[in-house]
Amino acid sequence: MTTAAAAGEKKAKKPLVGIIMGSDSDLQVMQEAADLLDSFGVPYELTIVSAHRTARRLYDYASAAKKRGIRVVIAGAGGAAHLPGMVAAITPLPVIGVPIKTKSLEGIDSLLSIAQMPPGVPVATVAINGAKNAGILACQVLSISDRALAEKVVKFKQEMEGAVLEKAGRLEDMGVREYLRRGGAKPQARNKQQQ
Ligand code: RP5
């Protein structure tokens, strides 16, 4: 590989999205954002930054993210979920917040902590455990200045539409009982976000 090509590859791998979370207990959910970015070919970094347990690390991460080339931050946290809001308070980058489902309050605590930001400091809040949507939204933000990525986003939406239309066709052809008998419906897929 030529030096120029190597440099190009290195540049291509420079993370554009910073995925952070308050604890490794959030990782299973936040992995869905990473998987989505992988499927779109968007480079990202992923680490743990706790707003309460590592406040100085939070400040350092949020202060340096833009200078390091990060363009969007995805921050997941549960309970008194101050990580996304505090990152948004420090960085000018767009911050997408993922409320993590909690045992005691089912994630309503996380959702309200992340969504109810004061005027002037927005956090784009997705559904409880909605890390996949956070990944999609990050791609959409980046696609504004990346034509190839914009095409992937359009293709993704077209495929989603196609999959629903295909199901609608099968349901209409078969009728409810046959559709269900063949295992056509997967209600657990909708519930996955709330797990
Ligand atoms: C939050 O507290 C984290 O984001 C996590 O969702 C929650 C519980 O953390 P652990 O006690 O599992 O480390 O800061």
PDB file of all heavy atoms in Angstrom, residues 21-26 50-53 76-81 83 100-102 110, ligand 1:
ATOM      1  N   MET A  21     -21.303   6.153  26.974  1.00  0.00           N
ATOM      2  CA  MET A  21     -22.379   5.669  27.861  1.00  0.00           C
ATOM      3  C   MET A  21     -21.902   5.753  29.300  1.00  0.00           C
ATOM      4  O   MET A  21     -20.689   5.720  29.568  1.00  0.00           O
ATOM      5  CB  MET A  21     -22.771   4.237  27.492  1.00  0.00           C
ATOM      6  CG  MET A  21     -21.668   3.225  27.669  1.00  0.00           C
ATOM      7  SD  MET A  21     -21.832   1.812  26.563  1.00  0.00           S
ATOM      8  CE  MET A  21     -21.187   2.508  25.047  1.00  0.00           C
ATOM      9  N   GLY A  22     -22.875   5.823  30.203  1.00  0.00           N
ATOM     10  CA  GLY A  22     -22.536   6.034  31.604  1.00  0.00           C
ATOM     11  C   GLY A  22     -21.904   4.844  32.287  1.00  0.00           C
ATOM     12  O   GLY A  22     -21.199   5.004  33.287  1.00  0.00           O
ATOM     13  N   SER A  23     -22.142   3.659  31.749  1.00  0.00           N
ATOM     14  CA  SER A  23     -21.662   2.445  32.420  1.00  0.00           C
ATOM     15  C   SER A  23     -21.569   1.311  31.412  1.00  0.00           C
ATOM     16  O   SER A  23     -22.272   1.324  30.388  1.00  0.00           O
ATOM     17  CB  SER A  23     -22.653   2.064  33.534  1.00  0.00           C
ATOM     18  OG  SER A  23     -22.378   0.774  34.036  1.00  0.00           O
ATOM     19  N   ASP A  24     -20.768   0.310  31.750  1.00  0.00           N
ATOM     20  CA  ASP A  24     -20.728  -0.857  30.863  1.00  0.00           C
ATOM     21  C   ASP A  24     -22.056  -1.618  30.904  1.00  0.00           C
ATOM     22  O   ASP A  24     -22.338  -2.423  30.022  1.00  0.00           O
ATOM     23  CB  ASP A  24     -19.534  -1.771  31.181  1.00  0.00           C
ATOM     24  CG  ASP A  24     -19.573  -2.358  32.572  1.00  0.00           C
ATOM     25  OD1 ASP A  24     -20.423  -1.932  33.382  1.00  0.00           O
ATOM     26  OD2 ASP A  24     -18.737  -3.238  32.868  1.00  0.00           O
ATOM     27  N   SER A  25     -22.881  -1.324  31.908  1.00  0.00           N
ATOM     28  CA  SER A  25     -24.203  -1.971  31.942  1.00  0.00           C
ATOM     29  C   SER A  25     -25.122  -1.420  30.839  1.00  0.00           C
ATOM     30  O   SER A  25     -26.173  -1.991  30.569  1.00  0.00           O
ATOM     31  CB  SER A  25     -24.860  -1.821  33.325  1.00  0.00           C
ATOM     32  OG  SER A  25     -25.052  -0.459  33.641  1.00  0.00           O
ATOM     33  N   ASP A  26     -24.721  -0.327  30.205  1.00  0.00           N
ATOM     34  CA  ASP A  26     -25.490   0.241  29.079  1.00  0.00           C
ATOM     35  C   ASP A  26     -25.039  -0.347  27.738  1.00  0.00           C
ATOM     36  O   ASP A  26     -25.660  -0.081  26.701  1.00  0.00           O
ATOM     37  CB  ASP A  26     -25.290   1.768  28.993  1.00  0.00           C
ATOM     38  CG  ASP A  26     -25.650   2.485  30.282  1.00  0.00           C
ATOM     39  OD1 ASP A  26     -26.591   2.043  30.959  1.00  0.00           O
ATOM     40  OD2 ASP A  26     -24.990   3.499  30.600  1.00  0.00           O
ATOM     41  N   SER A  50     -18.829   8.467  32.589  1.00  0.00           N
ATOM     42  CA  SER A  50     -19.915   8.628  33.549  1.00  0.00           C
ATOM     43  C   SER A  50     -19.993  10.081  34.020  1.00  0.00           C
ATOM     44  O   SER A  50     -18.995  10.650  34.477  1.00  0.00           O
ATOM     45  CB  SER A  50     -19.687   7.697  34.752  1.00  0.00           C
ATOM     46  OG  SER A  50     -20.575   8.054  35.799  1.00  0.00           O
ATOM     47  N   ALA A  51     -21.184  10.642  33.913  1.00  0.00           N
ATOM     48  CA  ALA A  51     -21.366  12.041  34.326  1.00  0.00           C
ATOM     49  C   ALA A  51     -21.089  12.225  35.812  1.00  0.00           C
ATOM     50  O   ALA A  51     -20.532  13.245  36.235  1.00  0.00           O
ATOM     51  CB  ALA A  51     -22.785  12.496  34.001  1.00  0.00           C
ATOM     52  N   HIS A  52     -21.458  11.247  36.600  1.00  0.00           N
ATOM     53  CA  HIS A  52     -21.347  11.407  38.054  1.00  0.00           C
ATOM     54  C   HIS A  52     -20.065  10.808  38.627  1.00  0.00           C
ATOM     55  O   HIS A  52     -19.475  11.358  39.552  1.00  0.00           O
ATOM     56  CB  HIS A  52     -22.559  10.749  38.734  1.00  0.00           C
ATOM     57  CG  HIS A  52     -23.865  11.294  38.219  1.00  0.00           C
ATOM     58  ND1 HIS A  52     -24.759  10.540  37.507  1.00  0.00           N
ATOM     59  CD2 HIS A  52     -24.379  12.542  38.269  1.00  0.00           C
ATOM     60  CE1 HIS A  52     -25.804  11.289  37.165  1.00  0.00           C
ATOM     61  NE2 HIS A  52     -25.587  12.513  37.613  1.00  0.00           N
ATOM     62  N   ARG A  53     -19.648   9.661  38.051  1.00  0.00           N
ATOM     63  CA  ARG A  53     -18.490   8.974  38.621  1.00  0.00           C
ATOM     64  C   ARG A  53     -17.175   9.453  38.016  1.00  0.00           C
ATOM     65  O   ARG A  53     -16.118   9.251  38.615  1.00  0.00           O
ATOM     66  CB  ARG A  53     -18.637   7.464  38.414  1.00  0.00           C
ATOM     67  CG  ARG A  53     -19.829   6.870  39.157  1.00  0.00           C
ATOM     68  CD  ARG A  53     -20.148   5.477  38.648  1.00  0.00           C
ATOM     69  NE  ARG A  53     -21.251   4.857  39.373  1.00  0.00           N
ATOM     70  CZ  ARG A  53     -21.997   3.879  38.871  1.00  0.00           C
ATOM     71  NH1 ARG A  53     -21.745   3.401  37.666  1.00  0.00           N
ATOM     72  NH2 ARG A  53     -22.983   3.365  39.577  1.00  0.00           N
ATOM     73  N   GLY A  76     -25.600   7.552  25.851  1.00  0.00           N
ATOM     74  CA  GLY A  76     -26.632   6.756  26.513  1.00  0.00           C
ATOM     75  C   GLY A  76     -26.416   6.753  28.003  1.00  0.00           C
ATOM     76  O   GLY A  76     -25.272   6.670  28.479  1.00  0.00           O
ATOM     77  N   ALA A  77     -27.513   6.860  28.754  1.00  0.00           N
ATOM     78  CA  ALA A  77     -27.393   6.820  30.210  1.00  0.00           C
ATOM     79  C   ALA A  77     -28.736   6.429  30.809  1.00  0.00           C
ATOM     80  O   ALA A  77     -29.792   6.610  30.196  1.00  0.00           O
ATOM     81  CB  ALA A  77     -26.936   8.167  30.760  1.00  0.00           C
ATOM     82  N   GLY A  78     -28.667   5.893  32.025  1.00  0.00           N
ATOM     83  CA  GLY A  78     -29.885   5.456  32.697  1.00  0.00           C
ATOM     84  C   GLY A  78     -30.055   6.109  34.053  1.00  0.00           C
ATOM     85  O   GLY A  78     -29.094   6.573  34.661  1.00  0.00           O
ATOM     86  N   GLY A  79     -31.286   6.167  34.520  1.00  0.00           N
ATOM     87  CA  GLY A  79     -31.586   6.745  35.831  1.00  0.00           C
ATOM     88  C   GLY A  79     -31.509   8.259  35.782  1.00  0.00           C
ATOM     89  O   GLY A  79     -32.136   8.905  34.946  1.00  0.00           O
ATOM     90  N   ALA A  80     -30.738   8.818  36.709  1.00  0.00           N
ATOM     91  CA  ALA A  80     -30.495  10.274  36.681  1.00  0.00           C
ATOM     92  C   ALA A  80     -29.504  10.525  35.550  1.00  0.00           C
ATOM     93  O   ALA A  80     -28.307  10.721  35.761  1.00  0.00           O
ATOM     94  CB  ALA A  80     -29.929  10.730  38.018  1.00  0.00           C
ATOM     95  N   ALA A  81     -30.039  10.513  34.332  1.00  0.00           N
ATOM     96  CA  ALA A  81     -29.193  10.392  33.132  1.00  0.00           C
ATOM     97  C   ALA A  81     -28.679  11.752  32.665  1.00  0.00           C
ATOM     98  O   ALA A  81     -29.186  12.327  31.698  1.00  0.00           O
ATOM     99  CB  ALA A  81     -29.984   9.693  32.036  1.00  0.00           C
ATOM    100  N   LEU A  83     -25.611  12.484  31.539  1.00  0.00           N
ATOM    101  CA  LEU A  83     -24.499  12.471  30.580  1.00  0.00           C
ATOM    102  C   LEU A  83     -24.816  13.214  29.274  1.00  0.00           C
ATOM    103  O   LEU A  83     -24.063  14.127  28.898  1.00  0.00           O
ATOM    104  CB  LEU A  83     -24.073  11.023  30.300  1.00  0.00           C
ATOM    105  CG  LEU A  83     -22.954  10.853  29.273  1.00  0.00           C
ATOM    106  CD1 LEU A  83     -21.638  11.448  29.774  1.00  0.00           C
ATOM    107  CD2 LEU A  83     -22.761   9.365  28.934  1.00  0.00           C
ATOM    108  N   ILE A 100     -31.657   4.838  28.782  1.00  0.00           N
ATOM    109  CA  ILE A 100     -31.536   3.396  29.026  1.00  0.00           C
ATOM    110  C   ILE A 100     -32.641   2.945  29.991  1.00  0.00           C
ATOM    111  O   ILE A 100     -32.909   3.613  30.995  1.00  0.00           O
ATOM    112  CB  ILE A 100     -30.145   3.069  29.627  1.00  0.00           C
ATOM    113  CG1 ILE A 100     -29.010   3.539  28.690  1.00  0.00           C
ATOM    114  CG2 ILE A 100     -30.033   1.575  29.932  1.00  0.00           C
ATOM    115  CD1 ILE A 100     -28.891   2.821  27.372  1.00  0.00           C
ATOM    116  N   LYS A 101     -33.248   1.828  29.664  1.00  0.00           N
ATOM    117  CA  LYS A 101     -34.302   1.296  30.534  1.00  0.00           C
ATOM    118  C   LYS A 101     -33.717   0.910  31.892  1.00  0.00           C
ATOM    119  O   LYS A 101     -32.654   0.287  31.955  1.00  0.00           O
ATOM    120  CB  LYS A 101     -34.950   0.074  29.881  1.00  0.00           C
ATOM    121  CG  LYS A 101     -36.117  -0.466  30.678  1.00  0.00           C
ATOM    122  CD  LYS A 101     -36.849  -1.542  29.923  1.00  0.00           C
ATOM    123  CE  LYS A 101     -37.994  -2.062  30.774  1.00  0.00           C
ATOM    124  NZ  LYS A 101     -38.730  -3.125  30.065  1.00  0.00           N
ATOM    125  N   THR A 102     -34.421   1.309  32.945  1.00  0.00           N
ATOM    126  CA  THR A 102     -33.934   1.011  34.299  1.00  0.00           C
ATOM    127  C   THR A 102     -34.875   0.013  34.976  1.00  0.00           C
ATOM    128  O   THR A 102     -36.023  -0.139  34.563  1.00  0.00           O
ATOM    129  CB  THR A 102     -33.882   2.303  35.147  1.00  0.00           C
ATOM    130  OG1 THR A 102     -35.158   2.949  35.066  1.00  0.00           O
ATOM    131  CG2 THR A 102     -32.807   3.242  34.651  1.00  0.00           C
ATOM    132  N   SER A 110     -34.841   7.951  32.980  1.00  0.00           N
ATOM    133  CA  SER A 110     -33.794   8.272  32.005  1.00  0.00           C
ATOM    134  C   SER A 110     -34.355   9.177  30.912  1.00  0.00           C
ATOM    135  O   SER A 110     -33.729  10.169  30.512  1.00  0.00           O
ATOM    136  CB  SER A 110     -33.268   6.994  31.353  1.00  0.00           C
ATOM    137  OG  SER A 110     -33.207   5.929  32.251  1.00  0.00           O
TER     138      SER A 110
HETATM  139  C1  RP5 B   1     -25.953   5.454  34.841  1.00  0.00           C
HETATM  140  O1  RP5 B   1     -26.307   4.640  35.883  1.00  0.00           O
HETATM  141  C2  RP5 B   1     -25.507   4.548  33.756  1.00  0.00           C
HETATM  142  O2  RP5 B   1     -25.732   5.135  32.500  1.00  0.00           O
HETATM  143  C3  RP5 B   1     -26.296   3.297  33.949  1.00  0.00           C
HETATM  144  O3  RP5 B   1     -27.411   3.249  33.066  1.00  0.00           O
HETATM  145  C4  RP5 B   1     -26.798   3.424  35.384  1.00  0.00           C
HETATM  146  C5  RP5 B   1     -26.362   2.278  36.254  1.00  0.00           C
HETATM  147  O4  RP5 B   1     -24.950   2.155  36.217  1.00  0.00           O
HETATM  148  P1  RP5 B   1     -24.223   0.905  36.890  1.00  0.00           P
HETATM  149  O5  RP5 B   1     -24.543   0.975  38.353  1.00  0.00           O
HETATM  150  O6  RP5 B   1     -24.790  -0.334  36.242  1.00  0.00           O
HETATM  151  O7  RP5 B   1     -22.755   1.087  36.594  1.00  0.00           O
HETATM  152  O8  RP5 B   1     -24.951   6.355  35.179  1.00  0.00           O
END
